[in-house]
Amino acid sequence: MVALNRFGATRSVQDAAEAVRAECENELDRLDAQLSMVRFTAWAIPAVGFVGTVRGYRPGTTGSARRFCTGISPE
């Protein structure tokens, strides 16, 4: 709609094309801002899962290393 208004006012295809480019850039920025939380959440979920996995492995590996180093047989 912006391009039609610009073309109607100036009768210049170049001005209308520039209006379309500017409107597309504005829409891109708006959508990018709206989706930033979705992108962050999509990144954070696997990261938190990885941290949880590492924390879950730690007690098992600590106990195994202690048994291995002291020569205690597994139960």
Side-chain angles (χ1 to χ4, degrees):
M1 197 59 145
V2 172
L4 290 175
N5 291 338
R6 178 73 59 94
F7 183 74
T10 64
R11 297 287 183 213
S12 169
V13 174
Q14 187 65 27
D15 285 345
E18 183 60 36
V20 169
R21 277 189 216 97
E23 188 66 25
C24 287
E25 286 179 15
N26 289 340
E27 188 67 15
L28 177 66
D29 291 340
R30 186 184 68 81
L31 289 173
D32 189 46
Q34 283 182 342
L35 294 176
S36 64
M37 187 56 125
V38 173
R39 277 195 306 274
F40 173 75
T41 304
W43 170 85
I45 289 172
V48 170
F50 176 74
V51 169
T53 300
V54 170
R55 289 191 65 189
Y57 279 134
R58 188 176 47 162
T61 56
T62 303
S64 296
R66 191 176 316 125
R67 284 193 301 263
F68 179 75
C69 291
T70 57
I72 300 172
S73 63
E75 299 171 21

